[in-house]
Amino acid sequence: MYTKGDNSFFIVDAHVALWDARAENQRNIHGKQFIDCFYDYHRNLSPESELWTYEEYLYQGGERLMKDLFIDGYVDHAIFQPAHLGEFYVNGFGQTEEAFALTQQHPDVLTYNHNFDPRNGEAGLDQLRADAERFGLKGVKLYTAEWHGDSRGYKLDDDWTRRYLEVCRELGIKNIHVHKGPTIRPLDRDAFDVADVDHIATDFTDLNFVVEHCGLPRLEDFCWIATQEPNVHAGLAVAMPFIHTRPKYFAQIMGELLYWLGEDRIQFSSDYALWTPRWLIESFVDFQIPAELSEYPEITIDQKKKVLGLNAAKMYDIEVPVDLRLADADETETGPRGAERAADENLVGA
């Protein structure tokens, strides 16, 4: 829990990973390209005080993760969102066994989501069923630009993806996290396009689609889709560190998300280990929309509480202490949010 002044915040870090990008796990040059791109994001968007060495970045291990998140980082609960990347890494990028073992040791503070690739066909469906039983899955993480043999990506509305989502529905896996954000070398940018979210959210209204990285750099496209699809949510991974390097840009991201989606469908994440949560949480609690961006209303304390943890806690049935709860959100609403309030404030100002 993080406390600032009279306000306390229940923190859910909704997108973390435990990875191994050391040389012995790199299958080819692309494994090095991938982690080098991650490190470029880290060193270009982090405060100097939060920079890691390159060697630290290749592999963290569970002990450091627990310290960075729960001892130093204010986090009350974190959710693993692993990427496999089997074409680039011998044993995969996200470390399934190590991450799952941590969740077994600390079930009160960690949730493990797994991944699937619809290009694995029938065998992959069998594996998904086995994984759901073993891991007790409530969610999965999809990487639509992941390479698979000669294929360099797939779409959410492909026939095979639909079959996998139907099985998710049968198994009670309701939370579908999808990387739809900045590309990572050597993956292809267009394979992360957000257009397929529109189709699939309409056809699977009983599933939640959390668009990680909120579609960046296609924020406008994402917002126009998400505002009409009440089961589409925004994950702030990668968006968060701009609070340091480009605060006006971050204000625009938050202003647009709050206007189009509302505060009940936005989830905080540090994207650990790209960044650590402590400084992001501190910065967000203190953050306010700059005065020159007057078309956006101020971000309220209650909105910050929902974004920092209460929204993800509701989605994953994570128990929140009574004194940290707020009234339930109405997630069935569609259309732009905040417009009426902003218009009223403009009238007052006039």
Side-chain angles (χ1 to χ4, degrees):
M1 183 180 70
Y2 178 62
T3 298
K4 182 68 180 288
D6 296 331
N7 296 295
S8 295
F9 303 81
F10 185 82
I11 308 295
V12 178
D13 198 336
H15 190 291
V16 304
L18 190 61
W19 68 60
D20 184 359
R22 291 174 292 190
E24 56 268 30
N25 195 35
Q26 294 175 14
R27 187 180 294 277
N28 47 41
I29 185 60
H30 300 312
K32 186 175 190 311
Q33 290 173 334
F34 189 88
I35 194 61
D36 285 356
C37 186
F38 264 29
Y39 191 63
D40 284 342
Y41 278 120
H42 169 73
R43 64 188 181 89
N44 289 329
L45 299 181
S46 300
E48 186 174 353
S49 62
E50 305 299 326
L51 290 176
W52 291 16
T53 67
Y54 181 72
E55 289 70 24
E56 289 177 301
Y57 217 65
L58 295 175
Y59 175 76
Q60 301 79 47
E63 183 176 347
R64 176 158 190 175
L65 178 144
M66 296 300 295
K67 180 178 186 297
D68 288 341
L69 268 59
F70 301 107
I71 298 176
D72 298 338
Y74 311 119
V75 174
D76 295 288
H77 200 101
I79 304 172
F80 282 113
Q81 309 286 0
H84 179 57
L85 300 172
E87 296 287 336
F88 303 161
Y89 296 97
V90 177
N91 297 314
F93 183 65
Q95 297 304 289
T96 296
E97 297 304 327
E98 190 172 5
F100 181 59
L102 279 178
T103 66
Q104 295 296 96
Q105 296 169 30
H106 307 282
D108 54 329
V109 296
L110 283 169
T111 293
Y112 180 74
N113 284 356
H114 199 49
N115 47 63
F116 68 71
D117 190 322
R119 292 165 295 186
N120 288 326
E122 291 288 351
L125 288 174
D126 292 338
Q127 187 63 54
L128 175 58
R129 294 184 180 97
D131 290 339
E133 181 176 0
R134 180 189 177 202
F135 300 132
L137 296 179
K138 292 184 177 181
V140 290
K141 170 67 186 294
L142 306 183
Y143 232 69
T144 57
E146 182 160 355
W147 291 9
H148 187 283
D150 294 332
S151 170
R152 288 171 62 157
Y154 65 91
K155 294 184 179 297
L156 294 177
D157 56 351
D158 289 344
D159 289 343
W160 269 108
T161 313
R162 290 175 180 274
R163 290 188 60 183
Y164 276 69
L165 293 176
E166 288 167 357
V167 171
C168 284
R169 172 190 280 161
E170 295 168 5
L171 296 170
I173 303 172
K174 294 185 176 181
N175 305 317
I176 314 300
H177 297 253
V178 192
H179 180 115
K180 294 288 187 179
T183 191
I184 305 162
R185 190 184 186 196
L187 303 175
D188 297 334
R189 187 183 79 99
D190 288 347
F192 285 137
D193 190 272
V194 297
D196 53 350
V197 174
D198 189 19
H199 297 179
I200 212 68
T202 298
D203 294 344
F204 290 84
T205 56
D206 53 338
L207 300 181
N208 299 311
F209 292 91
V210 184
V211 176
E212 300 297 350
H213 324 298
C214 55
L216 295 175
R218 306 173 183 86
L219 179 65
E220 185 174 13
D221 288 351
F222 167 70
C223 285
W224 279 94
I225 291 169
T227 194
Q228 299 300 343
E229 303 289 350
N231 57 333
V232 172
H233 305 250
L236 289 178
V238 173
M240 285 301 307
F242 286 111
I243 201 170
H244 167 66
T245 57
R246 295 186 61 192
K248 288 184 182 178
Y249 178 54
F250 179 76
Q252 290 175 325
I253 293 171
M254 286 302 304
E256 293 297 315
L257 292 175
L258 288 169
Y259 177 85
W260 292 105
L261 281 73
E263 67 267 24
D264 304 314
R265 291 194 280 142
I266 308 171
Q267 297 181 5
F268 164 77
S269 72
S270 66
D271 215 354
Y272 185 88
L274 271 86
W275 299 277
T276 49
R278 181 181 60 82
W279 68 274
L280 294 171
I281 293 166
E282 292 174 346
S283 298
F284 185 68
V285 168
D286 291 343
F287 183 79
Q288 196 46 260
I289 300 287
E292 58 264 41
L293 298 178
S294 57
E295 65 181 296
Y296 304 122
E298 290 187 356
I299 306 176
T300 69
I301 291 295
D302 282 359
Q303 287 175 328
K304 291 178 179 180
K305 288 181 177 181
K306 290 181 178 182
V307 170
L308 281 171
L310 299 183
N311 291 338
K314 181 178 181 180
M315 181 176 287
Y316 277 88
D317 300 317
I318 298 167
E319 186 173 0
V320 178
V322 173
D323 59 332
L324 298 180
R325 298 175 188 174
L326 294 174
D328 285 345
D330 177 9
E331 295 186 3
T332 63
E333 190 178 0
T334 59
R337 249 74 51 174
E340 184 176 345
R341 179 173 58 183
D344 290 344
E345 290 175 354
N346 287 338
L347 286 173
V348 171

